[in-house]
Structures are given as C-alpha cells and as structure tokens.
Amino acid sequence: MESDSPTSVRTTCPYCGVGCGVLATREESGVIGIAGDPHHPANFGRLCSKGSALGETVDLEGRLLEPRIDGEPASWDTALDLVAGRFAETIREHGPDSVAFYVSGQLLTEDYYVANKLMKGFIGSANIDTNSRLCMSSSVAGHRRAFGSDTVPGTYEDLELADLIVLTGSNLAWCHPVLYQRIAAAKARRPHMRIVLIDPRRTMTADIADMHLKIKPDGDTALFVGLLGYLAAQGAVDRTYLDRYTSGFDAALAIAKNHDLRSISARTGLSPEELREFFALVTRTERCVTIYSQGVNQSTSGTDKVNAIINCHLATGRIGRPGMGPFSVTGQPNAMGGREVGGLANMLASHMHLEDEDHRQLVQDFWASPTIACRPGLKAVDLFDAVREGKVKALWIMATNPVDSMPEADLIVEALKACPFVVVSDINAVTDTTRHGHVLLPAAAWGEKDGTVTNSERRISRQRPFLPLPGEAKPDWWIVTQVARRMGFATSFAYENPSQIFAEHAALSGTGNRGGRDFDISAHAAISGEGYNALQPFQWPQERGKSASEQRFFADGDFYTPDRRARLVAVHPANDEASDPRYPFVLNTGRVRDHWHTMTRTGKSARLSGHFAEPFAEIHPLDAAELGIGDATLVRLANDHGAIIVRALLTDRQARGNVFVPMHWTGQFASKARVDTLVTANLDPVSGQPALKMANVAVRSFQARWYGFAVMREKPASVEDYWALARTQAGFRLELASCEQPRDWSSFAQQLFQTEADVPLLAYHDHRQGQHRIAAFEGETLAGVLYVAREPVTVSRSWASEQLMQQFADAHQRYQLLAGKPGKNMPDKGAIVCACFSVGKNEIAAAARGGCHTVEAIGQTLKAGTNCGSCRAEIRGIIDANIVEAAE
C-alpha cells in the first residue's frame, strides 16, 4: 500500500517585513519543498530568492541542541535554575534596572509578549530593547509624533493603486523583492504610473524608476521640507483637511519658507532642475505613496525625515485613501509584532504609552503584576554602554547577534566580556555573540516555531511548525515562561501553548480601549487552540463584536493624539556633518540581494552565496584610480573604531566620496569584515536609532603579497590575513590573501584541504610569476584545488566549485582542472545572476547573443528572472552589453 502524499503546511517566511505566505512540504526523503502560498494576500504565491531557498537552510549543522553552561552541556533544569537565580539575585542586590533583555524582530509575537511582560510587569524595569531599535525606531517615533500612535496608515494594495510612488532610502528590489515585483507588475498594467527613486546609490531598484535623484547622504529632510514649501506655493495643500484634522502646519511651513530652491539644492546635492521636476510631479499627482525604509530611519535625523515625509501627505490630505499615503516598510519579519507588544524600551504592550500613568495602571491591572515599569528603559546603544560600565550586571540576549549588528561593534565585545552574567538564546552554537555567553539556551528555529508575526501592512499571519524540535531545543516563549516561574511568578506565566499567549495579548489590546488606541485585535481574545491553528492572515484592527474588514487609517482624521488631530512637526533640514580629513569617505551599510542579517540562515545555502560570496566595498572608479585600487583587489577601510578588509567592487553606481559595504559578513564567514565595527554610535535624539548609513572612513589599498582561491570538500581550518568562506553544493569555496608567503605551497594546500600526508598532489609552480596551482584527489574525487597568483585569481568560481561534484577518472581531466579553465566538455555558467534557478552570467550572455534580446525572452529560455525578479535589472544589463558586443 502506497503512503499518503505529503501535506503542505501554511506558514510565513522568516525574512523581511513583507510577510510572505509559504507552503512547506516535508517529503518522505527528508527534503523540504518550499513554494509561495498563492492565497496569502501579502505575496499571492510569489517568493524571493531567499524565501525560495528556505528548504536548504533547515539542516541541523551548527545547531545548538542542548543548554550549555560555560561551554559544557547542562540539563534544562540546571540551566533555567541558574538563569532565574542569577537574575533574581542581581535584582535583590542591585535593583531591577541592573538586569536587561535584548531581544529581536526574529522572535514571534508570543515570545515577545512574555519577555516584555516579565521585564516590565514583574521585574519592574523597562530595560528590554530590541534590534528593531536599529532599523525601525525612527518610524515609530515619527508616527507617534504625527499621529499619536505607531500606525502605518495604508496597505500593500495602495502600492498598486498609486499613480506615483516615491521610494526614498529603500532598495526595494533587493531588500523587499516581492513588493518590488508587485509594483513592477502594476506599472506594466498601468504605464502611466511613475516611480521616483531617491538614493545616493544607483541600486537595482532604479531599473523601474522614471527618475533617480542621487541625493546627498542625509539630504532627505531638506528635500521634503522643500517639497512642503513648493506644495504650499503652488496652492496644492488641502486647507479643508488641514483645518479639520491637523495642527502645526503654519510652524512647519514657516521653516520651509526659509529655504528656497538654491538652499535645498545645496543641502541635497540635487540640481534646481531636478528639484523642480520632482516637486512638480508630486504636486500634480494626487494618488501618491511615499515608501521609505532604512535609508531614512538609520540616521541621526531619522525621526525628522519621517515627519518631513508625513508632513507633505498631511498637508495635501493624501493619506488613508486608496493609492496614497506614507508607507514605512519594515526590515524584519516581526518588527511590527514587537512594536505591538511593547518590545521597545520606551513602549508598553498594545501600543500603550509608558509615560501615560493611566496606561501603566491598565496594563498592571490586566497582568495583576506586582509592579510596572514607570520610566523608559535603556535603548540599545545606551543599554550596552551600561553593560560595559557595570551598571547592567545580568543580560539576556534572544535571537540576535549584537556583536555584529550594533554600531561600534567592538565595544559590544568589551561589554559582554565585562558583564558578570550573559545568557544567549539562539539556534546556533557558534556565533560572534554566543562565544561570550555564560549560559547558552537552544531555541526553536523557523520550521519548528509556532506563533504569529505581523508584516508591514499590519497583517498578522501564523508561523506554523512542520519540523519536530531537534535535540533539546525549545520555543522562546517556553524558555522565558520557565524562567519566570522559577523567579516566583508561576501563576502569571502558566501558559502551556502559544495560543493562550495570543489570546491574552488579544484581550489586552481591547481592555479599556474605547477608540483611544489604534491596535485592537480583541476579536480573537477567546480564541481556542483549534481556532489558533486555523487562524487565517488578517489585518488589524479587529475589534470585539465588529465584523472583520481591511482598512486604512486617517482619511477622515480621527488620530490618536489627545485632541484627535494630527501634528505636522516643524523640522529643520539636517546640517552637514563636520568632515574629518583623516576619514574623507562616507560609509553606507546595507543588505545584498540573497543574504540576510548575519547569515546564520542564508549562509547554509550554496546558491544564495552564488551571487556574492565574499564581502565587498562598492567604490566609484575615479575614487579607486586616485587611491591606486584595482578592481577585485582588496581594500582596507578604517577609522578610530577599527578596520576591515574587503574586496573592491568598482562601479559608477556608487557616488564619488562614498563607499557601500554589506552588513552580513561575520567572524564565521570572513576574517575582517564586521562592518559595524566602523559605524560610530551617533544616535537620533528622539528615537535613539543609530546612524548605520553614515560613518566616516579612510580607504586604501591592502597590499597583499599573494591572492588565492580554493574549493574543498571539508571546511578549512587555515587562517590568513584575509579569507572569506562560502558554501558550495558539495563543499566550500574560499578566498585568500596574505602579506606573508608560505614556505611550502604543497604543505599549505594539504593543510588547507585537511587531507592526509599520503594523499598525492597534482601541482604546477611558476615561482617567477608567483603562480601556484595544487589539487588533491581521493580516488576519483576532488578533495580540493588551490589557485594562487600575485594578482586576484581570475578562475571562474562557479565552474571551479562545480568540480567538487565531478569524477576525475583520467589525467586529462585533472590537468584541465589545474589549468583553471573548463574544457569543451566542461561548460562554465559564470557568476550566478539568478539565484532562484542558479543561472549564470555566461548562460545569459550566450542566450542574448543567440537572439534573446529581452528579459522576457531570457526567462522563457533559461527561467532566469521569472521567480522573484530581483535579478531582472542585471539580466537587462547583460543583454544590452552582449547586443552591443554582437553589433561591434
């Protein structure tokens, strides 16, 4: 009798804030099949490259599978007793503010809720902050200043209904690809739609933009202050809306009137002609959505940027109606859920205000808690400063990696080393943060978790498990609850499953809420376990006793300020930072297309490393020429906080005087690439968000004596001045460089490949040219091959990596490998362009020369660009280059 076919589980993607629905299928073979959920209203079946590769990231290699105390395995009872005891003892001796939690937008809402409840309602401190502080807290602050609440007014549908989309501080094509594709499809259906990209870099998002404004870093406030003045001068403000629903317009406009076009041009770096064209386009287009993300938020003036954007929408009444409004796109899968439960140090659950005595009393009464935090806790940067200074003596880090993601990251290492007691809940045994934990607690990973997340359009979706908990791993909510019970709060943390936590969270959202708060999901306060399991994606608010509906906010006012009026905030354009001649370049950090945060998940997938397998710095070719930096050589970026070494990527997409370095590489994947070591901990004074997009650095060439590239079956142990490691389908690929030369290259290669001394080597040495090529074979299988040269090695990485899957039965094949180039029977697909279908640059180029002259034709022939579409701009560039080449 044949077994039943596998059943797909409907869950939600664990990457960005788009919140895509996923169908996960566990095959009998153990393979996890992944597909987009065609019925989920966030993505309608679309997935990006990262989402499509989720099945490749759920293995147990590197997992933390049992509690550890000082590096040694321990039982759960022992570990939990120790955590509870040390926290309780520290509180008794030094007070509740001597302990802290640092949590994450990777947590589920249920995890977030119990952690926040324990800290604020039972420990009695607000020292719980989240890595969302690093990405979205300026949006929270801007929303609260303008609306009186942290409310995203619109929906994803607005992005498809708009006649004009203004994208500022957002590389949507790479960071939120599914939203990008929804917009691209809408533009194809409605050719009159216009898109403006505001970004110092020409990112891949520019592919669909009708206008690209290469603004100076931190010029956004000035741009939107100038826009407000222009709108008023053209009579485009909505006086009826302003008079009926807002306050503060005159003060905001007074500042705008002080800055003419010449002033705005100087502050933004945009020409008066560019400004006039942009301002006129916005003025005449009513259905306008402004999408903003980290390029706006991660700034010392991030909150002012947010309010400058919102001011323009309020002044024109372009808010809360179809196809219009300001739209904050969140970076993490549950940054919004964290905000809903009060995960930030200056918030309470259910969007209640920590500074409001009535709100504090309401929450305390609902929780029946012995205390309630009465003042804001330490925000992320200040929290770790307090740890380093000895003020915080017990710290619990959950689902985040601050040693890599915080500004001045080396100071975070100092803080953790100085802290008497550090607890880390994580899924991985070895990260740059776990190595400093006194107690490590094994947490459940995606695929094992059971709970909810909220996406950027306020839509709550279920993350459902389809894998068993491995080893002794436990859900984060369970871990927090067990510690709370051991601290004496068993009655208030008697949860047995996440549905009970969600029901309590929903009930709190409706308690005492008579239209005074935006967040209300009390319709689900009586949800059962069965109802929770069947819960469909829904958008809040969903109030008790009211039928479910999707809605926008603020078209007819009804804001959440005391007078129910929105506030236009009078903001001044940011002043230029004083330059330091020692550090003349502005460093911008951010994401690449196929990796996520610190790669603890995406680093497991070979195809997600195919596009960018090592850290790099984008530098303008003219800047590089002045500095003597060649393409693909190594560069050293440094300032007073530290130094990194990365690969030079010369491109005119980058503005002169600026460099871009991705945030993803850690000590597990590269030798010296933790870019946030260079970011100064300069903060927005309102939100406390650090300016991760703007650090000052010096850039110079790193003078390596030799460069190397290797592929090998086993993970290497050797370390050089520079190395960067990435997965391949059958092993690893490794970039190397050093100022010192090994005495014996063959011994070096054997050590690198971790082969026995009696394994024969095939080698080529040209000492005069500094070229060395060494391969080791175990039978007919390649154990490893190393290519060394005085300049960056030019061998095809994708072709060399594929050789680990080949059989080498004859000498000719082996010598061809050593030659470093494929033979006629060894096709070279080239650098991976489409990660979804592993299509390389050479394959696309050949198809273009063969007559595929459109992206659609390439898609029909090779499938490239037909899934998430985030590679379509690169495909178009390859087509154009090869058509020109063919014509010549």
Side-chain angles (χ1 to χ4, degrees):
M1 180 176 176
E2 294 183 357
S3 62
D4 294 337
S5 60
T7 301
S8 295
V9 173
R10 296 183 66 196
T11 185
T12 309
C13 182
Y15 288 121
C16 75
V18 175
C20 294
V22 173
L23 296 177
T25 307
R26 189 180 183 193
E27 308 286 351
E28 289 185 7
S29 64
V31 171
I32 303 300
I34 296 293
D37 183 349
H39 301 295
H40 196 288
N43 60 315
F44 298 107
R46 299 180 183 93
L47 287 179
C48 72
S49 58
K50 295 184 291 292
S52 298
L54 276 167
E56 301 165 26
T57 68
V58 294
D59 64 68
L60 299 184
E61 184 177 354
R63 284 290 298 271
L64 179 65
L65 294 176
E66 75 283 310
R68 296 183 187 177
I69 298 174
D70 295 328
E72 297 298 322
S75 69
W76 268 113
D77 280 339
T78 302
L80 293 168
D81 285 345
L82 177 60
V83 173
R86 286 295 295 270
F87 268 77
E89 178 185 356
T90 304
I91 293 164
R92 282 195 302 272
E93 292 184 6
H94 304 285
D97 288 334
S98 66
V99 301
F101 294 170
Y102 185 63
V103 297
S104 165
Q106 299 291 296
L107 293 175
L108 303 186
T109 299
E110 293 76 7
D111 307 324
Y112 248 131
Y113 179 86
V114 292
N116 180 70
K117 178 179 177 179
L118 173 59
M119 179 56 77
K120 288 176 179 160
F122 289 80
I123 291 174
S125 170
N127 280 353
I128 175 170
D129 211 40
T130 165
N131 61 12
S132 297
R133 177 72 61 189
L134 310 182
C135 56
M136 298 312 302
S137 56
S138 289
S139 276
V140 174
H143 288 161
R144 289 184 62 176
R145 287 206 301 190
F147 307 144
S149 60
D150 177 22
T151 310
V152 175
T155 70
Y156 291 165
E157 183 186 41
D158 292 324
L159 313 184
E160 298 165 317
L161 298 176
D163 294 322
L164 171 63
I165 289 181
V166 178
L167 281 159
T168 183
S170 170
N171 183 9
L172 207 69
W174 279 14
C175 298
H176 301 93
V178 169
L179 285 188
Y180 173 82
Q181 283 308 309
R182 287 184 66 165
I183 293 171
K187 185 173 171 62
R189 291 191 302 268
R190 303 167 56 238
H192 68 275
M193 177 191 277
R194 292 292 175 263
I195 297 173
V196 178
L197 176 67
I198 302 167
D199 199 308
R201 298 166 63 218
R202 182 175 178 82
T203 65
M204 290 303 168
T205 304
D207 185 53
I208 62 168
D210 300 285
M211 183 188 304
H212 176 204
L213 301 178
K214 295 183 179 179
I215 197 168
K216 286 170 56 176
D218 272 357
D220 308 75
T221 307
L223 180 65
F224 286 93
V225 165
L227 174 59
L228 182 66
Y230 187 92
L231 290 165
Q234 298 300 310
V237 300
D238 186 336
R239 282 288 177 182
T240 300
Y241 189 91
L242 284 169
D243 292 343
R244 187 173 296 171
Y245 302 128
T246 76
S247 62
F249 174 69
D250 291 340
L253 183 60
I255 294 173
K257 286 181 175 179
N258 289 332
H259 297 281
D260 59 14
L261 213 59
R262 182 179 301 176
S263 168
I264 299 300
S265 177
R267 290 172 180 272
T268 61
L270 303 173
S271 70
E273 292 73 26
E274 288 176 304
L275 292 171
R276 286 193 195 95
E277 184 181 0
F278 171 58
F279 291 169
L281 180 60
V282 175
T283 299
R284 66 175 181 263
T285 312
E286 183 181 24
R287 285 160 61 117
C288 172
V289 173
T290 305
I291 301 174
Y292 63 92
S293 193
Q294 313 308 2
V296 165
N297 298 318
Q298 291 176 335
S299 165
T300 55
S301 57
T303 306
D304 282 353
K305 290 181 184 182
V306 171
N307 285 116
I309 292 167
I310 293 173
N311 284 350
C312 294
H313 283 275
L314 290 172
T316 54
R318 297 173 182 173
I319 188 169
R321 291 184 284 149
M324 60 187 79
F327 203 107
S328 163
V329 180
T330 50
Q332 294 191 84
N334 203 30
M336 290 287 279
R339 286 147 67 172
E340 291 158 11
V341 301
L344 292 167
N346 55 321
M347 299 172 68
L348 275 178
S350 295
H351 283 195
M352 283 185 263
H353 299 167
L354 190 64
E355 66 274 15
D356 187 311
E357 184 177 356
D358 290 339
H359 284 183
R360 293 198 304 271
Q361 191 64 54
L362 190 154
V363 174
Q364 185 176 4
D365 289 347
F366 180 86
W367 282 341
S369 61
T371 183
I372 194 75
C374 59
R375 62 179 181 273
L378 295 168
K379 299 170 184 175
V381 171
D382 295 333
L383 188 157
F384 282 97
D385 285 346
V387 174
R388 194 173 70 255
E389 294 163 3
K391 297 174 183 175
V392 169
K393 302 176 186 300
L395 174 66
W396 190 350
I397 299 168
M398 303 178 199
T400 188
N401 200 358
V403 169
D404 295 311
S405 59
M406 287 286 291
E408 298 182 31
D410 282 346
L411 292 183
I412 307 303
V413 176
E414 290 184 20
L416 297 183
K417 287 181 176 179
C419 189
F421 191 61
V422 177
V423 182
V424 182
S425 298
D426 208 304
I427 67 170
N428 289 294
V430 179
T431 71
D432 290 340
T433 298
T434 59
R435 65 182 56 187
H436 301 290
H438 299 104
V439 179
L440 304 184
L441 302 176
W446 181 81
E448 304 151 13
K449 288 185 175 185
D450 191 6
T452 58
V453 293
T454 308
N455 74 358
S456 296
E457 63 166 351
R458 313 186 315 274
R459 191 176 302 280
I460 295 174
S461 299
R462 288 277 279 112
Q463 265 195 24
R464 295 180 175 91
F466 53 89
L467 293 171
L469 287 167
E472 296 181 50
K474 297 289 185 182
D476 289 283
W477 68 263
W478 183 91
I479 300 171
V480 174
T481 296
Q482 291 296 316
V483 170
R485 292 177 184 182
R486 285 165 167 80
M487 292 180 73
F489 311 126
T491 303
S492 298
F493 290 84
Y495 313 109
E496 297 299 329
N497 56 65
S499 68
Q500 295 170 340
I501 303 171
F502 183 80
E504 180 178 308
H505 166 51
L508 175 57
S509 73
T511 301
N513 190 9
R514 298 176 179 84
R517 301 195 304 274
D518 59 340
F519 179 73
D520 190 332
I521 59 169
S522 55
H524 300 280
I527 198 167
S528 64
E530 184 177 341
Y532 184 73
N533 290 336
L535 188 67
Q536 299 300 303
F538 71 93
Q539 202 170 34
W540 62 257
Q542 278 202 4
E543 301 170 45
R544 192 194 316 264
K546 293 187 178 181
S547 59
S549 65
E550 297 188 6
Q551 68 178 64
R552 300 171 177 87
F553 282 87
F554 310 142
D556 298 314
D558 201 22
F559 294 91
Y560 295 94
T561 56
D563 61 5
R564 308 299 282 185
R565 288 175 171 266
R567 303 183 188 98
L568 283 85
V569 180
V571 294
H572 293 270
N575 293 319
D576 289 337
E577 297 277 340
S579 59
D580 186 333
R582 298 177 301 158
Y583 308 122
F585 283 84
V586 174
L587 167 66
N588 176 14
T589 68
R591 293 179 181 162
V592 298
R593 188 188 73 192
D594 298 333
H595 278 309
W596 173 255
H597 283 197
T598 57
M599 294 201 290
T600 50
R601 184 182 290 116
T602 55
K604 289 174 171 280
S605 169
R607 64 183 168 113
L608 292 181
S609 293
H611 192 231
F612 287 114
E614 65 176 321
F616 61 89
E618 284 190 1
I619 307 171
H620 193 281
L622 295 178
D623 287 335
E626 290 180 0
L627 295 167
I629 295 169
D631 198 19
T633 59
L634 295 176
V635 292
R636 184 178 186 271
L637 280 65
N639 59 18
D640 290 337
H641 307 301
I644 64 171
I645 301 171
V646 293
R647 189 75 62 178
L649 195 166
L650 308 190
T651 173
D652 59 8
R653 295 191 301 268
Q654 181 59 270
R656 292 210 64 184
N658 290 253
V659 291
F660 170 82
V661 178
M663 61 175 280
H664 309 290
W665 275 267
T666 70
Q668 284 70 59
F669 295 97
S671 53
K672 295 184 174 84
R674 290 169 49 243
V675 67
D676 283 329
T677 60
L678 304 180
V679 175
T680 305
N682 292 331
L683 307 179
D684 180 291
V686 181
S687 68
Q689 181 160 353
L692 293 169
K693 296 291 185 186
M694 198 169 183
N696 295 315
V697 297
V699 180
R700 65 178 176 83
S701 175
F702 177 77
Q703 298 298 322
R705 189 171 177 183
W706 60 270
Y707 291 84
F709 171 71
V711 298
M712 65 219 72
R713 197 161 295 280
E714 300 297 328
K715 190 173 182 178
S718 178
V719 176
E720 298 302 313
D721 291 328
Y722 172 83
W723 60 266
L725 182 71
R727 289 273 186 183
T728 69
Q729 284 187 298
F732 298 88
R733 53 184 284 189
L734 182 70
E735 302 286 346
L736 293 161
S738 182
C739 300
E740 300 294 331
Q741 186 163 302
R743 291 184 178 181
D744 181 83
W745 282 107
S746 294
S747 297
F748 176 84
Q750 278 187 319
Q751 191 174 25
L752 191 68
F753 304 152
Q754 298 187 69
T755 54
E756 299 295 333
D758 58 352
V759 172
L761 300 178
L762 185 64
Y764 166 84
H765 300 286
D766 183 340
H767 295 281
R768 171 178 279 185
Q769 297 296 324
Q771 292 189 2
H772 306 273
R773 299 170 187 175
I774 306 161
F777 299 89
E778 294 177 331
E780 296 182 357
T781 301
L782 176 65
V785 60
L786 169 68
Y787 304 93
V788 175
R790 290 179 182 152
E791 301 296 329
V793 174
T794 57
V795 66
S796 168
R797 270 61 175 166
S798 59
W799 169 79
S801 297
E802 288 177 351
Q803 302 316 298
L804 290 171
M805 297 183 290
Q806 307 301 321
Q807 294 296 303
F808 291 84
D810 61 67
H812 176 74
Q813 283 181 290
R814 298 185 179 204
Y815 282 112
Q816 191 71 55
L817 173 69
L818 215 60
K821 57 184 179 181
K824 293 181 179 179
N825 61 336
M826 293 181 175
D828 175 15
K829 65 172 59 178
I832 297 298
V833 174
C834 175
C836 295
F837 297 108
S838 296
V839 181
K841 180 178 180 180
N842 293 348
E843 295 173 294
I844 297 168
R849 291 192 296 270
C852 294
H853 292 170
T854 65
V855 175
E856 289 71 25
I858 292 291
Q860 290 173 4
T861 302
L862 301 173
K863 297 183 72 175
T866 61
N867 184 42
C868 76
S870 54
C871 61
R872 290 171 67 88
E874 291 172 85
I875 293 172
R876 185 171 289 109
I878 296 169
I879 292 169
D880 292 344
N882 281 275
I883 290 175
V884 170
E885 182 181 313
E888 292 174 348

